[in-house]
mmCIF file of all heavy atoms in Angstrom:
data_model
loop_
_atom_site.group_PDB
_atom_site.id
_atom_site.type_symbol
_atom_site.label_atom_id
_atom_site.label_comp_id
_atom_site.label_asym_id
_atom_site.label_seq_id
_atom_site.Cartn_x
_atom_site.Cartn_y
_atom_site.Cartn_z
ATOM 1 N N ASN A 99 -1.058 99.648 -34.496
ATOM 2 C CA ASN A 99 -1.685 99.724 -33.153
ATOM 3 C C ASN A 99 -3.057 99.174 -33.192
ATOM 4 O O ASN A 99 -3.574 98.708 -32.144
ATOM 5 C CB ASN A 99 -1.756 101.158 -32.640
ATOM 6 C CG ASN A 99 -0.406 101.691 -32.329
ATOM 7 O OD1 ASN A 99 0.225 102.445 -33.076
ATOM 8 N ND2 ASN A 99 0.134 101.329 -31.178
ATOM 9 N N PHE A 102 -8.361 99.226 -37.400
ATOM 10 C CA PHE A 102 -9.357 100.150 -37.962
ATOM 11 C C PHE A 102 -9.525 101.331 -37.009
ATOM 12 O O PHE A 102 -9.206 101.291 -35.878
ATOM 13 C CB PHE A 102 -10.661 99.467 -38.224
ATOM 14 C CG PHE A 102 -11.364 98.857 -37.067
ATOM 15 C CD1 PHE A 102 -12.675 99.231 -36.726
ATOM 16 C CD2 PHE A 102 -10.754 97.924 -36.223
ATOM 17 C CE1 PHE A 102 -13.368 98.691 -35.709
ATOM 18 C CE2 PHE A 102 -11.423 97.331 -35.198
ATOM 19 C CZ PHE A 102 -12.720 97.748 -34.885
ATOM 20 N N CYS A 103 -9.983 102.463 -37.578
ATOM 21 C CA CYS A 103 -10.125 103.714 -36.827
ATOM 22 C C CYS A 103 -10.988 103.509 -35.585
ATOM 23 O O CYS A 103 -10.744 103.980 -34.496
ATOM 24 C CB CYS A 103 -10.676 104.821 -37.656
ATOM 25 S SG CYS A 103 -9.832 105.093 -39.257
ATOM 26 N N CYS A 106 -10.070 102.407 -31.903
ATOM 27 C CA CYS A 106 -9.653 103.378 -30.849
ATOM 28 C C CYS A 106 -10.703 104.406 -30.603
ATOM 29 O O CYS A 106 -10.997 104.737 -29.443
ATOM 30 C CB CYS A 106 -8.364 104.029 -31.336
ATOM 31 S SG CYS A 106 -6.990 102.943 -31.484
ATOM 32 N N HIS A 107 -11.300 104.943 -31.648
ATOM 33 C CA HIS A 107 -12.365 105.970 -31.487
ATOM 34 C C HIS A 107 -13.671 105.204 -31.413
ATOM 35 O O HIS A 107 -14.442 105.183 -32.347
ATOM 36 C CB HIS A 107 -12.358 106.958 -32.638
ATOM 37 C CG HIS A 107 -11.047 107.713 -32.807
ATOM 38 N ND1 HIS A 107 -10.799 108.822 -32.093
ATOM 39 C CD2 HIS A 107 -9.964 107.466 -33.588
ATOM 40 C CE1 HIS A 107 -9.563 109.290 -32.442
ATOM 41 N NE2 HIS A 107 -9.063 108.481 -33.377
ATOM 42 N N PHE A 126 -2.256 104.529 -27.518
ATOM 43 C CA PHE A 126 -0.894 104.190 -27.916
ATOM 44 C C PHE A 126 0.089 105.061 -27.135
ATOM 45 O O PHE A 126 -0.250 106.061 -26.522
ATOM 46 C CB PHE A 126 -0.640 104.263 -29.457
ATOM 47 C CG PHE A 126 -0.912 105.620 -30.026
ATOM 48 C CD1 PHE A 126 -0.114 106.703 -29.784
ATOM 49 C CD2 PHE A 126 -1.993 105.758 -30.956
ATOM 50 C CE1 PHE A 126 -0.363 107.970 -30.355
ATOM 51 C CE2 PHE A 126 -2.236 107.010 -31.533
ATOM 52 C CZ PHE A 126 -1.414 108.071 -31.215
ATOM 53 N N ARG A 128 3.334 107.476 -27.503
ATOM 54 C CA ARG A 128 4.269 108.212 -28.328
ATOM 55 C C ARG A 128 5.657 108.050 -27.695
ATOM 56 O O ARG A 128 5.761 107.961 -26.482
ATOM 57 C CB ARG A 128 3.913 109.692 -28.387
ATOM 58 C CG ARG A 128 2.691 109.991 -29.256
ATOM 59 C CD ARG A 128 2.834 111.330 -29.908
ATOM 60 N NE ARG A 128 1.562 111.696 -30.516
ATOM 61 C CZ ARG A 128 1.047 111.210 -31.659
ATOM 62 N NH1 ARG A 128 1.747 110.301 -32.297
ATOM 63 N NH2 ARG A 128 -0.078 111.627 -32.105
ATOM 64 N N ARG A 215 -1.404 108.064 -24.895
ATOM 65 C CA ARG A 215 -2.493 108.866 -25.407
ATOM 66 C C ARG A 215 -3.684 107.985 -25.738
ATOM 67 O O ARG A 215 -3.589 107.013 -26.490
ATOM 68 C CB ARG A 215 -2.134 109.609 -26.731
ATOM 69 C CG ARG A 215 -0.887 110.390 -26.710
ATOM 70 C CD ARG A 215 -1.091 111.811 -26.122
ATOM 71 N NE ARG A 215 0.179 112.500 -25.984
ATOM 72 C CZ ARG A 215 0.684 113.253 -26.948
ATOM 73 N NH1 ARG A 215 0.048 113.477 -28.046
ATOM 74 N NH2 ARG A 215 1.840 113.867 -26.742
ATOM 75 N N VAL A 216 -4.817 108.279 -25.214
ATOM 76 C CA VAL A 216 -6.021 107.643 -25.537
ATOM 77 C C VAL A 216 -6.688 108.362 -26.679
ATOM 78 O O VAL A 216 -6.481 109.547 -26.840
ATOM 79 C CB VAL A 216 -6.924 107.545 -24.238
ATOM 80 C CG1 VAL A 216 -7.705 108.797 -24.030
ATOM 81 C CG2 VAL A 216 -7.777 106.365 -24.175
ATOM 82 N N ALA A 217 -7.489 107.686 -27.520
ATOM 83 C CA ALA A 217 -8.107 108.325 -28.658
ATOM 84 C C ALA A 217 -9.178 109.295 -28.158
ATOM 85 O O ALA A 217 -10.074 108.895 -27.385
ATOM 86 C CB ALA A 217 -8.736 107.294 -29.581
ATOM 87 N N PRO A 218 -9.139 110.533 -28.621
ATOM 88 C CA PRO A 218 -10.217 111.509 -28.211
ATOM 89 C C PRO A 218 -11.530 111.270 -28.987
ATOM 90 O O PRO A 218 -11.499 110.629 -30.037
ATOM 91 C CB PRO A 218 -9.600 112.870 -28.556
ATOM 92 C CG PRO A 218 -8.353 112.675 -29.328
ATOM 93 C CD PRO A 218 -8.154 111.205 -29.449
ATOM 94 N N PHE A 268 -5.638 119.911 -33.232
ATOM 95 C CA PHE A 268 -6.142 118.526 -32.934
ATOM 96 C C PHE A 268 -5.083 117.729 -32.211
ATOM 97 O O PHE A 268 -3.902 117.937 -32.344
ATOM 98 C CB PHE A 268 -6.558 117.869 -34.250
ATOM 99 C CG PHE A 268 -7.656 118.644 -34.960
ATOM 100 C CD1 PHE A 268 -7.370 119.394 -36.081
ATOM 101 C CD2 PHE A 268 -8.952 118.644 -34.381
ATOM 102 C CE1 PHE A 268 -8.396 120.104 -36.659
ATOM 103 C CE2 PHE A 268 -9.955 119.370 -35.017
ATOM 104 C CZ PHE A 268 -9.661 120.119 -36.152
ATOM 105 N N GLY A 269 -5.576 116.736 -31.432
ATOM 106 C CA GLY A 269 -4.688 115.900 -30.609
ATOM 107 C C GLY A 269 -4.538 116.573 -29.221
ATOM 108 O O GLY A 269 -4.863 117.733 -29.062
ATOM 109 N N TRP A 270 -4.115 115.799 -28.279
ATOM 110 C CA TRP A 270 -4.046 116.260 -26.906
ATOM 111 C C TRP A 270 -3.011 117.369 -26.681
ATOM 112 O O TRP A 270 -3.039 118.060 -25.670
ATOM 113 C CB TRP A 270 -3.727 115.067 -25.929
ATOM 114 C CG TRP A 270 -4.855 114.055 -25.900
ATOM 115 C CD1 TRP A 270 -4.879 112.875 -26.539
ATOM 116 C CD2 TRP A 270 -6.056 114.149 -25.159
ATOM 117 N NE1 TRP A 270 -6.005 112.179 -26.244
ATOM 118 C CE2 TRP A 270 -6.798 112.936 -25.423
ATOM 119 C CE3 TRP A 270 -6.641 115.097 -24.339
ATOM 120 C CZ2 TRP A 270 -8.052 112.650 -24.864
ATOM 121 C CZ3 TRP A 270 -7.858 114.862 -23.737
ATOM 122 C CH2 TRP A 270 -8.583 113.619 -24.036
ATOM 123 N N GLN A 280 -4.287 115.039 -39.555
ATOM 124 C CA GLN A 280 -4.509 114.108 -38.458
ATOM 125 C C GLN A 280 -4.980 112.716 -38.941
ATOM 126 O O GLN A 280 -4.439 111.680 -38.547
ATOM 127 C CB GLN A 280 -5.562 114.709 -37.505
ATOM 128 C CG GLN A 280 -5.924 113.848 -36.353
ATOM 129 C CD GLN A 280 -5.005 113.976 -35.176
ATOM 130 O OE1 GLN A 280 -4.714 115.079 -34.734
ATOM 131 N NE2 GLN A 280 -4.460 112.864 -34.668
ATOM 132 N N ASN A 281 -5.946 112.723 -39.871
ATOM 133 C CA ASN A 281 -6.481 111.461 -40.390
ATOM 134 C C ASN A 281 -5.384 110.634 -41.141
ATOM 135 O O ASN A 281 -5.250 109.444 -40.913
ATOM 136 C CB ASN A 281 -7.552 111.783 -41.486
ATOM 137 C CG ASN A 281 -8.876 112.042 -40.875
ATOM 138 O OD1 ASN A 281 -9.053 112.035 -39.657
ATOM 139 N ND2 ASN A 281 -9.811 112.324 -41.759
ATOM 140 N N ALA A 284 -2.847 109.222 -38.921
ATOM 141 C CA ALA A 284 -3.403 108.061 -38.235
ATOM 142 C C ALA A 284 -3.354 106.829 -39.127
ATOM 143 O O ALA A 284 -2.984 105.714 -38.724
ATOM 144 C CB ALA A 284 -4.816 108.324 -37.792
ATOM 145 N N ASP A 288 -0.917 104.610 -37.144
ATOM 146 C CA ASP A 288 -1.670 103.778 -36.233
ATOM 147 C C ASP A 288 -2.024 102.455 -36.903
ATOM 148 O O ASP A 288 -2.170 101.443 -36.244
ATOM 149 C CB ASP A 288 -2.953 104.493 -35.756
ATOM 150 C CG ASP A 288 -2.664 105.868 -35.196
ATOM 151 O OD1 ASP A 288 -1.527 106.234 -34.990
ATOM 152 O OD2 ASP A 288 -3.656 106.591 -34.907
HETATM 153 C C1 HEC B 501 -4.444 103.022 -32.058
HETATM 154 C C2 HEC B 501 -5.500 103.969 -31.739
HETATM 155 C C3 HEC B 501 -5.960 104.885 -32.873
HETATM 156 C C4 HEC B 501 -6.392 104.540 -34.115
HETATM 157 C C5 HEC B 501 -6.412 103.198 -34.774
HETATM 158 C C6 HEC B 501 -6.810 105.783 -34.721
HETATM 159 N N1 HEC B 501 -6.691 106.823 -33.803
HETATM 160 FE FE1 HEC B 501 -7.217 108.737 -34.165
HETATM 161 N N2 HEC B 501 -6.389 109.252 -32.431
HETATM 162 C C7 HEC B 501 -5.789 108.395 -31.552
HETATM 163 C C8 HEC B 501 -5.108 109.160 -30.513
HETATM 164 C C9 HEC B 501 -4.364 108.607 -29.316
HETATM 165 C C10 HEC B 501 -5.319 110.479 -30.838
HETATM 166 C C11 HEC B 501 -4.745 111.713 -30.050
HETATM 167 C C12 HEC B 501 -3.362 111.844 -30.651
HETATM 168 C C13 HEC B 501 -2.511 112.912 -29.989
HETATM 169 O O1 HEC B 501 -2.720 113.324 -28.888
HETATM 170 O O2 HEC B 501 -1.574 113.376 -30.652
HETATM 171 C C14 HEC B 501 -6.146 110.580 -32.027
HETATM 172 C C15 HEC B 501 -6.614 111.711 -32.601
HETATM 173 C C16 HEC B 501 -7.430 111.705 -33.744
HETATM 174 C C17 HEC B 501 -8.101 112.873 -34.237
HETATM 175 C C18 HEC B 501 -8.082 114.242 -33.583
HETATM 176 C C19 HEC B 501 -9.241 114.302 -32.623
HETATM 177 C C20 HEC B 501 -9.237 115.474 -31.667
HETATM 178 O O3 HEC B 501 -10.179 115.663 -30.925
HETATM 179 O O4 HEC B 501 -8.280 116.278 -31.682
HETATM 180 C C21 HEC B 501 -8.687 112.467 -35.415
HETATM 181 C C22 HEC B 501 -9.518 113.359 -36.370
HETATM 182 C C23 HEC B 501 -8.420 111.098 -35.618
HETATM 183 N N3 HEC B 501 -7.615 110.644 -34.567
HETATM 184 C C24 HEC B 501 -8.815 110.375 -36.712
HETATM 185 C C25 HEC B 501 -8.516 109.060 -36.908
HETATM 186 C C26 HEC B 501 -8.827 108.330 -38.122
HETATM 187 C C27 HEC B 501 -9.487 108.870 -39.383
HETATM 188 C C28 HEC B 501 -8.353 107.058 -37.896
HETATM 189 C C29 HEC B 501 -8.345 105.888 -38.891
HETATM 190 C C30 HEC B 501 -7.645 106.123 -40.169
HETATM 191 C C31 HEC B 501 -7.806 107.044 -36.557
HETATM 192 N N4 HEC B 501 -7.895 108.223 -35.997
HETATM 193 C C32 HEC B 501 -7.296 105.869 -36.038
HETATM 194 C C33 HEC B 501 -5.839 107.037 -31.557
HETATM 195 C C34 HEC B 501 -6.148 106.293 -32.719
#
Side-chain angles (χ1 to χ4, degrees):
N99 290 100
F102 61 124
C103 308
C106 294
H107 300 276
F126 60 67
R128 287 214 191 284
R215 307 277 174 93
V216 82
F268 300 105
W270 294 101
Q280 179 84 50
N281 278 359
D288 306 353

